[in-house]
Amino acid sequence: MFSTIYSALSGMLGFSKGLDVISNNVANLNTPGFKASELEFRDLFYRYSQGGGEQDGPRSQIGSGLDTGGTRTRFREGELRESGNPLDVAIDGNGFLVLQPADGVRLYGRGGEQVYTRAGQLEFGTDGFLVDRASGARVMGYEGGTLRAISID
């Protein structure tokens, strides 16, 4: 009796987590560079029993509900839109932009570390460096085999 209630409860909890993931996807739908997530479900333990008490009778499979295995980011391309800014970029296929935050600035919860993004809203800062419009972090590029900040110079 209680196993039936626990199986149903696990299904309701999994459904609730699925709604949380969908809600986050909808809330961030228009965020530049946002990548949606999908929830992974998995079966819980199964019990096997013989049907009708016969040795050669059919076996039945009784599950114990479901579990959520975690979320997975979908890295497929989003919708491309004209922004009116000639410096905005979109990545078609694989790849990321590398951003280097200014000294002492925490970017996406990381202090001074390079971060990767697919958000391509860019502009030239007052110092002549190409920067991410939202965070002000410098956009990096390869020059002579070395990763350096992109400058108008």
Side-chain angles (χ1 to χ4, degrees):
M1 170 78 176
F2 285 117
S3 64
T4 304
I5 293 171
Y6 290 131
S7 293
L9 177 62
S10 73
M12 291 183 351
L13 290 173
F15 181 75
S16 176
K17 288 180 184 178
L19 285 177
D20 289 342
V21 171
I22 292 169
S23 298
N24 181 60
N25 290 342
V26 170
N28 288 293
L29 184 64
N30 291 318
T31 303
F34 173 72
K35 293 296 168 197
S37 298
E38 54 190 24
L39 190 62
E40 296 177 340
F41 295 98
R42 59 182 176 210
D43 292 331
L44 290 179
F45 176 74
Y46 277 98
R47 293 187 311 248
Y48 296 96
S49 63
Q50 291 293 124
E54 299 176 19
Q55 189 73 7
D56 296 328
R59 292 180 56 159
S60 64
Q61 189 175 1
I62 302 168
S64 296
L66 68 89
D67 187 22
T68 53
T71 58
R72 181 176 34 170
T73 304
R74 292 187 301 211
F75 280 99
R76 59 180 167 243
E77 294 149 10
E79 177 186 347
L80 300 180
R81 295 185 209 149
E82 178 64 39
S83 68
N85 181 1
L87 295 176
D88 287 353
V89 297
I91 298 171
D92 184 16
N94 295 331
F96 290 91
L97 296 171
V98 180
L99 302 180
Q100 176 68 50
D103 292 336
V105 175
R106 293 182 64 81
L107 185 60
Y108 304 115
R110 300 173 186 260
E113 297 177 22
Q114 291 176 347
V115 296
Y116 301 94
T117 183
R118 288 180 65 98
Q121 295 181 313
L122 309 176
E123 64 186 5
F124 280 106
T126 56
D127 56 1
F129 286 97
L130 188 62
V131 296
D132 175 62
R133 194 178 321 152
S135 66
R138 291 181 177 174
V139 179
M140 308 297 282
Y142 279 103
E143 180 182 341
T146 306
L147 197 59
R148 299 178 192 262
I150 299 174
S151 173
I152 202 165
D153 294 335

